[in-house]
Amino acid sequence: MGDSQLYEDTFTLTSLNAQKYDRVSRISATSEDSSTFLTLDINTELYPCSVGERVHLVLASTLSLDGSKDDRKGWREVGRGETSLADMYDYVCHGKIYRFEEGEGENIKVFVSFGGLLLYIEGPYKKLTPLRIDYIYLLMKK
């Protein structure tokens, strides 16, 4: 895990709910070590998913490979031939961590909004410690 990568884990999708919207589903997943649980709203038209699939998830502070801050440079402003962390993943979102809550025992709950698509992640404090109320990128691949 690099300096810009705040959290990284592999999850198995346990449920998928597509009842409310046409192109958005709410997925639930559990990490390989069963210590972390997440619920994520995902655009299934762009990134189709099914129960039982494994996905690799990263939360990063920047898309720069060297870990340097974006400095108000948007993800669309990457120069030609310039590679970024996004090039290695299939699904990328930019959002903001907006709330933390205490969980049971040593767990904490983290809430993130990606323009209305929500992420709720609950897991051990030690794994989620690098996360702060700030803007982040979510990156996923199968």
Side-chain angles (χ1 to χ4, degrees):
M1 193 161 58
D3 291 337
S4 66
Q5 297 179 17
L6 306 172
Y7 176 79
E8 182 175 17
D9 212 339
T10 301
F11 289 85
T12 302
L13 302 184
T14 56
S15 71
L16 187 127
N17 182 347
Q19 294 175 344
K20 195 160 186 157
Y21 300 104
D22 291 335
R23 294 180 289 263
V24 175
S25 295
R26 179 161 284 175
I27 61 171
S28 297
T30 305
S31 64
E32 286 185 328
D33 63 0
S34 298
S35 67
T36 309
F37 169 81
L38 72 78
T39 302
L40 173 66
D41 296 338
I42 191 164
N43 184 328
T44 50
E45 187 175 68
L46 297 175
Y47 193 73
C49 299
S50 58
V51 174
E53 280 185 337
R54 292 177 64 225
V55 293
H56 184 75
L57 179 133
V58 171
L59 297 176
S61 59
T62 179
L63 293 177
S64 299
L65 293 175
D66 62 2
S68 61
K69 284 286 184 188
D70 291 337
D71 294 327
R72 299 183 189 248
K73 182 173 140 181
W75 63 270
R76 293 179 190 221
E77 297 174 22
V78 175
R80 282 194 175 204
E82 191 177 333
T83 59
S84 74
L85 197 57
D87 296 330
M88 297 179 240
Y89 291 86
D90 303 322
Y91 187 77
V92 180
C93 293
H94 182 255
K96 182 168 184 159
I97 299 173
Y98 65 92
R99 188 168 85 201
F100 288 93
E101 289 182 3
E102 289 185 23
E104 293 183 24
E106 295 290 314
N107 284 357
I108 61 170
K109 301 173 184 179
V110 181
F111 298 85
V112 188
S113 176
F114 301 99
L117 298 178
L118 302 177
L119 167 66
Y120 161 80
I121 187 166
E122 182 174 357
Y125 175 77
K126 289 182 180 181
K127 283 178 98 174
L128 300 173
T129 294
L131 302 176
R132 301 280 182 258
I133 292 183
D134 200 1
Y135 291 98
I136 61 163
Y137 292 93
L138 172 130
L139 303 104
M140 287 177 55
K141 65 182 175 183
K142 293 180 184 172

